[in-house]
Amino acid sequence: MRDKDNITERQGNKCWKCGDPAVIHRKYEGKSWCSEHFTEQFESLVKGTIRENDLFESDDKVCVALSGGMDSSALLFFLSDLFKDWRNADLFALAIDEGIEDYRDESIEIAEELCRDLGVDLHIASFKEAFGKTLDEIMEDKEYGCTYCGVLRRWLLNRKSRELGATKLATGHNMDDELQSIFMNYLRGNMNRMVRLGAKPAVLDNEKFIPRVKPFRDTPEREIALYGRLRGIDLHQTECPYVDNSLRFDVRDFLNDMEAKRPSTKYTSLRAFDKLLPALQNMFSGDDSSVKECDFCGEITSGDICKTCQLREKI
Amino acid sequence: MSIKVIHGKKEHTVDDDSTTVEGVLDRIGVNPETVIVEMEDEIVSLGKAVVDGDKLNLINVVSGG
Ligand code: SF4
Ligand SMILES: [Zn+2]
Ligand SMILES: [Zn+2]
């Protein structure tokens, strides 16, 4: 028998609380969990992130950025349950249709079905409507789809959620996304960008900016997928044809290898960053004063013309 | 001992002395951080024992866009 097989002998395959068959063995804490106790504990951890970071007010109007992928679908599921007890709060979903054939149309169908099941209003905003072209059309004579897609999508999410009256924009960003961003910013020397990280990134002092919140930010991607699966959410497995995240993927694979070899690497790295974050925020706190409104579209920007309007010129 | 593994469009057969799901993943070079494993439509943990003839279905959890 090799080392990798020893887990059964050491820790068993039973929930440490009730003895039922386990659905997960978390090496970083040395415990196995059955579906019921994992789900219960997962939800209580996310509630902890929400409480500790004051992510929501009791009268918030929360817009969930829903892609139809597992993270945002599981987030909508979780929040729709949580908000049942919040009488003055409101929840709705916003999906961005970039116009990517055989990819986004499938995930939007999943989003529509989920919203129907949960009784949550879904709004869809498309690139075609906002910018006159789908991403497929934009990419006919261009490279690096993610550059266009990311900038245009952020712009549209902010504008549309504001038009719909949102006071918060909740995204499905998870622990893995957050760590990848931390390491990528570090590798690129973009220390000032790190102040935008955290469960409740620093709010820009402008009423046009809808504050972002990330309730799953302290939760590993794999556990969100497991939670979603146990809650009966469809997992959209198709990969975007334009995906070009070479550095992000290198960092992702590095972190997953480290976690497999040295369990708890992800937690330790995130907690270390959390200790650094206040110092980084202090160091770069002057940067917000440069927030202006774009000469063309009126959305917030650090220069005279926002990135979206600069890209619009080229599409 | 022979274990069949379905991983998206790929299919593997593991013929050796693996005794757990984690051991099988190691043999086929799949990082356990990147998948959820099902056996007979039930999600199982990495510590689940495997026996001859078992069939594992791997679901990718890492995002790609
Ligand atoms: S992978 Fe890139 S192009 Fe595709 S949806 Fe994501 S950001 Fe957009
Ligand atoms: Zn249990
Ligand atoms: Zn603009």
Side-chain angles (χ1 to χ4, degrees):
Chain A
M1 188 185 297
R2 302 182 205 179
D3 279 357
K4 286 276 179 185
D5 291 345
N6 287 346
I7 191 174
T8 298
E9 293 176 358
R10 285 202 314 268
Q11 290 109 351
N13 181 40
K14 304 277 184 225
C15 174
W16 75 282
K17 277 191 131 177
C18 68
D20 277 358
V23 291
I24 185 168
H25 176 77
R26 285 189 182 134
K27 284 194 176 178
Y28 61 80
E29 68 173 8
K31 286 178 185 161
S32 298
W33 299 80
C34 69
S35 57
E36 185 188 330
H37 286 119
F38 165 76
T39 305
E40 200 178 279
Q41 201 254 358
F42 176 95
E43 291 180 345
S44 112
L45 281 177
V46 180
K47 284 179 190 163
T49 301
I50 292 174
R51 227 181 5 255
E52 277 160 31
N53 296 282
D54 288 324
L55 295 195
F56 302 116
E57 315 284 328
S58 59
D59 57 354
D60 259 334
K61 189 161 181 182
V62 178
C63 170
V64 175
L66 182 65
S67 68
M70 185 46 96
D71 298 325
S72 60
S73 298
L75 179 63
L76 185 70
F77 186 100
F78 172 81
L79 290 180
S80 72
D81 196 42
L82 182 74
F83 276 47
K84 275 185 191 136
D85 300 331
W86 296 28
R87 259 179 292 143
N88 295 323
D90 200 6
L91 182 76
F92 64 92
L94 172 60
I96 301 296
D97 181 1
E98 301 92 346
I100 306 171
E101 210 182 338
D102 295 334
Y103 173 68
R104 190 54 80 212
D105 32 8
E106 283 174 22
S107 64
I108 287 203
E109 270 174 36
I110 294 177
E112 284 171 334
E113 197 180 319
L114 180 68
C115 287
R116 254 196 316 275
D117 288 352
L118 297 174
V120 171
D121 285 340
L122 171 66
H123 302 266
I124 300 174
S126 70
F127 277 18
K128 181 84 178 174
E129 206 180 303
F131 310 114
K133 281 189 180 180
T134 63
L135 191 66
D136 284 340
E137 287 165 349
I138 296 172
M139 295 317 295
E140 273 168 14
D141 55 354
K142 287 180 186 61
E143 284 180 302
Y144 309 118
C146 296
T147 309
Y148 287 86
C149 183
V151 171
L152 301 182
R153 184 171 45 191
R154 272 193 298 278
W155 184 97
L156 194 50
L157 271 175
N158 193 66
R159 171 164 285 196
K160 196 74 191 171
S161 60
R162 189 180 67 234
E163 285 173 3
L164 292 165
T167 54
K168 298 271 164 61
L169 180 59
T171 64
H173 286 99
N174 57 50
M175 175 189 277
D176 295 74
D177 297 326
E178 188 87 344
L179 282 169
Q180 288 155 19
S181 298
I182 293 167
F183 280 85
M184 284 165 67
N185 279 323
Y186 194 81
L187 293 172
R188 288 174 168 152
N190 290 334
M191 303 305 283
N192 54 338
R193 287 193 164 214
M194 294 209 208
V195 300
R196 299 184 198 166
L197 298 171
K200 192 180 187 179
V203 175
L204 295 180
D205 187 17
N206 187 301
E207 59 184 19
K208 287 196 166 171
F209 178 76
I210 306 304
R212 312 279 199 270
V213 289
K214 300 183 242 174
F216 283 167
R217 183 261 188 189
D218 295 328
T219 319
E221 183 168 42
R222 182 171 186 268
E223 295 189 17
I224 297 171
L226 178 58
Y227 171 77
R229 190 89 179 167
L230 292 170
R231 290 301 202 177
I233 299 171
D234 263 352
L235 190 56
H236 179 231
Q237 296 242 44
T238 317
E239 193 167 86
C240 175
Y242 303 115
V243 68
D244 171 34
N245 272 319
S246 30
L247 179 59
R248 183 170 287 275
F249 286 0
D250 286 348
V251 170
R252 177 193 74 186
D253 294 345
F254 163 73
L255 287 168
N256 281 337
D257 284 348
M258 290 296 284
E259 183 67 31
K261 281 186 203 141
R262 296 177 176 78
S264 188
T265 295
K266 291 182 186 175
Y267 268 96
T268 317
S269 311
L270 195 65
R271 294 287 88 94
F273 175 74
D274 287 345
K275 289 188 189 137
L276 269 180
L277 188 57
L280 288 168
Q281 282 166 340
N282 253 339
M283 199 181 297
F284 297 105
S285 59
D287 283 7
D288 266 17
S289 58
S290 59
V291 174
K292 299 180 192 163
E293 290 183 9
C294 171
D295 287 348
F296 289 125
C297 69
E299 292 295 322
I300 46 176
T301 171
S302 53
D304 294 329
I305 300 170
C306 77
K307 197 91 206 284
T308 299
C309 289
Q310 290 174 29
L311 290 183
R312 264 178 174 169
E313 292 279 289
K314 299 184 192 164
I315 63 182
Chain B
M1 158 118 152
S2 173
I3 314 283
K4 198 167 166 193
V5 187
I6 312 225
H7 187 198
K9 288 179 188 142
K10 284 184 234 155
E11 223 178 282
H12 309 264
T13 305
V14 177
D15 297 298
D16 72 2
D17 61 349
S18 305
T19 56
T20 65
V21 167
E22 189 180 36
V24 174
L25 295 185
D26 185 47
R27 258 22 130 247
I28 59 171
V30 170
N31 185 321
E33 283 292 301
T34 63
V35 289
I36 288 176
V37 184
E38 286 183 344
M39 268 169 82
E40 291 171 16
D41 292 333
E42 295 284 334
I43 296 172
V44 295
S45 86
L46 296 176
K48 168 88 176 163
V50 289
V51 294
D52 190 31
D54 273 345
K55 201 165 134 185
L56 307 185
N57 184 29
L58 311 188
I59 302 157
N60 270 331
V61 298
V62 292
S63 43

